[in-house]
Amino acid sequence: QVQLVESGGGLVQTGGSLRLSCAASGLSFSNYVMGWFRQAPGKEREFVATIHWSDSTTYYADSLKGRFTISRDNAKNTLYLQMNSLKPDDTAVYYCAAVFSRLIRTRQNEYTYWGQGTQVTVSS
């Protein structure tokens, strides 16, 4: 069975950086994609970034492009999200997700597997 476990969240000041990790297990196929989503209190869950596990194709939310970088380490079965120049509006629970697909996916309802989330808090 597929399991995704996020880590690396915490408290950081405005302008600081964090790197989130997502350890994946049980992914039996090469044709799948992984993504990061986030959800702030009282708001809908929103797309952050996605990457194809095999060909490294990436796509970012327009508002985050240039500050966030998604990457993966196939040997370690681990997904990363490097977050720079953090703002208070970045405060949210960040979720790792995966889906079997030959193409990258950006919609929440296209993902099948989800982690439990990790809290990121950016102080002003």
Side-chain angles (χ1 to χ4, degrees):
Q1 61 181 11
V2 175
Q3 294 189 45
L4 305 174
V5 181
E6 303 95 334
S7 62
L11 176 65
V12 65
Q13 295 181 352
T14 297
S17 299
L18 283 174
R19 189 177 77 159
L20 306 183
S21 298
C22 173
S25 62
L27 297 175
S28 302
F29 304 99
S30 61
N31 290 325
Y32 60 89
V33 299
M34 300 190 72
W36 288 99
F37 293 78
R38 68 183 186 181
Q39 186 169 23
K43 299 181 65 177
E44 298 292 325
R45 188 171 300 182
E46 65 177 347
F47 168 74
V48 173
T50 185
I51 185 170
H52 194 286
W53 197 250
S54 296
D55 65 21
S56 298
T57 301
T58 61
Y59 188 82
Y60 296 87
D62 289 341
S63 62
L64 303 177
K65 195 172 185 178
R67 295 195 298 120
F68 288 14
T69 302
I70 189 171
S71 62
R72 84 283 190 272
D73 187 330
N74 290 27
K76 296 182 178 180
N77 292 328
T78 301
L79 178 74
Y80 302 99
L81 182 68
Q82 178 67 46
M83 306 185 294
N84 299 322
S85 301
L86 286 165
K87 309 173 182 178
D89 286 347
D90 295 320
T91 295
V93 176
Y94 284 71
Y95 296 91
C96 172
V99 63
F100 178 70
S101 176
R102 293 183 178 180
L103 302 174
I104 58 171
R105 303 293 180 182
T106 62
R107 296 174 61 87
Q108 178 182 345
N109 61 9
E110 294 177 317
Y111 284 80
T112 304
Y113 307 104
W114 294 84
Q116 84 288 345
T118 184
Q119 177 71 48
V120 172
T121 302
V122 184
S123 62
S124 60

